[in-house]
Amino acid sequence: MSDLTYADVSARLQQRWPEHKIEPTLDRVQRLVELLGDPQKSYPVVHLTGTNGKTSTARMIDTLLREAGLRTGRFTSPHLESVRERITLDGEPISEERFTQAYAEIAPYLDVVDAEQEHPLSFFEAMTAMAFAVFADAPVDVAVIEVGLGGTWDSTNVADGTVSVITPVAVDHAHILGADPVTIARDKAGIIKPGGTTVMSQQSLEVFEVLLTKASEVGSQVAREGIEFGITSRSLAVGGQVISIKGLGGEYEEIFVPLHGEYQAHNAATAVAAVEALLGAGPEHEDRVTTELLQAGFAQVTSPGRMEVVRTSPTIIVDAAHNPHGAEATAATVSEAFAFQPLIGVLGCMKDKDVYGLLEAYEPIMETVVCTRNSFVERSMPAEELGELAIEVFGEDRVLVRPHLIDAIDDAIRLAEENAIAMGTGGVLITGSVITAGEARTLLVRKPKQADR
C-alpha cells in the first residue's frame, strides 16, 4: 500500500460505518488490537468521558504532562478541520505522511477483522486502532484518550485507564445513551477500571451515586470535584481568567488560564487532579506537580473551537457547543467575558440534537440569530427548518435564514456593525455543532505554516 495518498486513506476511512452509528459491542475492535499486539497496553492511559468538556480537559492534561517532561499522545474527537487533529504527538497533529503510513500498517488487519465479523469495522474503530498503534510506535510515555461516545461500548474502552476522568454528565445523544443523566452515567461509568483512580468533575448527586457505586465495585480510588479537589478562587483577566486550585496534593495559587468561562476553570481543576493522580500526589511526590509547573503549563493551553476569538472588529467567536448544557455554559461565558451590543448569532445544528433547547439557551443573549447549515448534509438540520424553530423561540423579527454558512457569517458581521449601540461593540457568535465551528474556523482563521509530527 506504499502508493496510497493521504486523500486515498481519508476516503477509505470515510467509506466505513460512520461514527455516529453505534453497535454495543467491543468484539471487533478487541479483535483488531489483539492482532496488532495490543498496543494500548504499552503505555499508561488517561481515559476521559463525560458529556461536555472532554476535549478541553484532554488538551489541558496533555499540555501539563508535556510541561512535566513526558512525551504524550492524544486521541480526541470529533475534529474541527482535519482528521489528523484526532491523533497528536507532543501536542501536534501527526503529518499526512505518518497518517497514511499508520493506515497502511493496520490495513491488512482491518481486512481480516472485516472478514471475520458480522459487520465491518467502523470509521471510529479504525481511527482508535490507528491512534493506539501510532502511540506505541512513537513511543509515548502516556496517552490521553477521549471516548467517542458513551463509555462502556466505546471502542477506546479496550484500553484500561490508569486514570479515568469523567467530566460533567448531562443529556446528549439521548437516542443512543438514554434520556436522563443517570442512565447516561451508567454507560459512561464503564471506563472506570480496577486498580485505577477515577477523577470526577462536579456532578449531580444522582450521577455521583452511579459513578461511586461503579468505582466501589471495581476497586477504583476516587477524587471528586468539590470534595477532594476544586476551585478555591477565580477572577477575570485580560484574555482569560486567574484561578487558584485545591489539588489532591496541595494548594496551587494564582494560575492564569488563557480561556474564557467558569466551565473552563472547572475543566482546569479536573485536569490538575488527573495529572496529580497519574504522577502522584502527597508529601512524598510534592516535587512532581508544583504551582510553577501548572503556571507554565496552563499558559500554553489552547482549546480551538471552544469560545475561540477568531477575528476582531467586530469580534467573532466560534464555539462547538451542541447541546443545551453546553449552550448554557457558552451563553453564560459570553455574558461574563464580553459586553457585546448587540450579539448576533450564527447557528448551524445537527437534526438529532435538542435544537429547541439550544435556541432557548441562546435567546436571552442574541439580538438576532442567523440560521444556516453546515456541509454534513446527512445529519445537519436544513436552515429553513432551523429557522422555523428559531421563530418559535426568538420571534420572526429576530430570525434570518441563510442556507450557506459564508452568507450567514457575512450577514451576521453586517448586523453586528450596523446595529452597534453608541460607544458599544457588536459581536458574532458562530455555534450549534462541532462541524459548524470547524467550517467557520476554516473560513475565518489565517493559519501560520508549521511542521507536523
Side-chain angles (χ1 to χ4, degrees):
M1 287 202 176
S2 58
D3 57 344
L4 276 179
T5 67
Y6 174 68
D8 293 333
V9 171
S10 296
R12 291 191 183 192
L13 286 167
Q14 291 297 337
Q15 288 166 4
R16 290 189 167 273
W17 203 6
E19 58 190 320
H20 63 276
K21 287 189 176 181
I22 302 295
E23 184 189 8
T25 179
L26 294 178
D27 291 347
R28 289 186 303 273
V29 70
Q30 188 72 65
R31 175 61 173 150
L32 177 58
V33 294
E34 181 183 275
L35 290 171
L36 294 173
D38 283 320
Q40 78 283 5
K41 295 182 179 179
S42 62
Y43 37 75
V45 169
V46 179
H47 199 185
L48 296 95
T49 190
T51 302
N52 292 305
K54 297 186 297 295
T55 301
S56 292
T57 306
R59 293 178 69 93
M60 291 175 183
I61 292 168
D62 184 358
T63 304
L64 294 177
L65 291 174
R66 283 187 283 116
E67 185 63 28
L70 300 181
R71 188 171 200 202
T72 62
R74 186 180 74 238
F75 181 59
T76 55
S77 63
H79 58 274
L80 280 170
E81 298 174 70
S82 167
V83 70
R84 296 183 296 108
E85 297 167 24
R86 297 178 181 231
I87 304 174
T88 72
L89 290 173
D90 288 329
E92 296 294 336
I94 60 173
S95 66
E96 291 186 3
E97 180 183 5
R98 183 66 187 101
F99 189 91
T100 303
Q101 180 187 29
Y103 176 83
E105 289 168 354
I106 73 165
Y109 304 101
L110 298 177
D111 293 340
V112 170
V113 178
D114 285 348
E116 289 179 351
Q117 300 290 326
E118 180 181 357
H119 299 291
L121 287 152
S122 70
F123 166 87
F124 190 74
E125 287 168 333
M127 285 293 300
T128 300
M130 282 177 62
F132 288 155
V134 167
F135 298 158
D137 184 62
V140 301
D141 297 314
V142 59
V144 182
I145 306 293
E146 176 190 341
V147 304
L149 183 64
T152 300
W153 304 114
D154 188 78
S155 64
T156 63
N157 206 31
V158 295
D160 292 331
T162 303
V163 179
S164 300
V165 178
I166 303 178
T167 65
V169 175
V171 176
D172 196 14
H173 303 287
H175 60 295
I176 297 172
L177 300 178
D180 62 89
V182 169
T183 303
I184 293 170
R186 293 193 185 103
D187 185 58
K188 294 186 183 295
I191 75 163
I192 299 174
K193 300 296 175 64
T197 300
T198 304
V199 176
M200 304 176 189
S201 298
Q202 188 64 56
Q203 312 284 350
S204 70
L205 291 176
E206 295 81 5
V207 167
F208 263 139
E209 184 177 355
V210 170
L211 302 179
L212 289 170
T213 297
K214 179 60 183 285
S216 176
E217 288 173 353
V218 303
S220 172
Q221 293 184 318
V222 168
R224 296 157 292 180
E225 184 181 7
I227 301 176
E228 284 81 17
F229 72 92
I231 299 291
T232 56
S233 70
R234 171 178 174 267
S235 59
L236 301 186
V238 175
Q241 55 194 308
V242 174
I243 62 174
S244 295
I245 297 171
K246 172 199 170 189
L248 304 180
E251 302 274 346
Y252 310 106
E253 303 289 339
E254 299 295 304
I255 299 164
F256 174 68
V257 179
L259 302 173
H260 298 289
E262 183 179 1
Y263 68 97
Q264 292 288 23
H266 291 288
N267 289 341
T270 299
V272 169
V275 169
E276 288 180 307
L278 183 73
L279 300 183
E284 69 276 21
H285 303 303
E286 61 182 0
D287 60 333
R288 295 190 181 180
V289 180
T290 64
T291 297
E292 292 71 26
L293 182 148
L294 297 183
Q295 288 172 336
F298 275 114
Q300 304 169 52
V301 165
T302 62
S303 192
R306 278 76 182 175
M307 282 300 301
E308 181 184 14
V309 176
V310 296
R311 287 282 180 92
T312 55
S313 299
T315 299
I316 304 176
I317 299 169
V318 295
D319 189 79
H322 53 272
N323 55 54
H325 183 266
E328 288 164 5
T330 296
T333 299
V334 171
S335 299
E336 175 185 79
F338 301 91
F340 294 132
Q341 295 178 339
L343 175 65
I344 309 299
V346 175
L347 209 62
C349 305
M350 297 305 188
K351 59 189 175 185
D352 57 353
K353 299 294 183 178
D354 181 1
V355 176
Y356 199 88
L358 279 168
L359 291 163
E360 288 185 314
Y362 288 129
E363 188 278 331
I365 68 165
M366 291 178 178
E367 180 175 288
T368 301
V369 61
V370 185
C371 298
T372 190
R373 188 179 198 179
N374 61 53
S375 66
F376 201 159
V377 176
E378 181 185 350
R379 286 184 63 202
S380 62
M381 178 174 284
E384 296 79 5
E385 187 178 335
L386 177 57
E388 291 173 4
L389 286 177
I391 287 171
E392 293 182 29
V393 177
F394 282 74
E396 191 168 357
D397 293 344
R398 297 168 61 197
V399 177
L400 292 179
V401 175
R402 298 291 184 268
H404 299 292
L405 180 59
I406 185 64
D407 295 334
I409 294 172
D410 286 344
D411 275 355
I413 291 171
R414 175 181 56 79
L415 288 170
E417 291 176 333
E418 290 178 355
N419 298 338
I421 297 173
M423 302 301 290
T425 304
V428 175
L429 172 63
I430 307 170
T431 186
S433 82
V434 178
I435 303 296
T436 302
E439 292 182 355
R441 205 170 181 275
T442 299
L443 292 169
L444 296 167
V445 176
R446 300 180 181 91
K447 301 172 184 63
K449 292 185 177 180
Q450 59 182 26
D452 293 318
R453 299 287 169 150

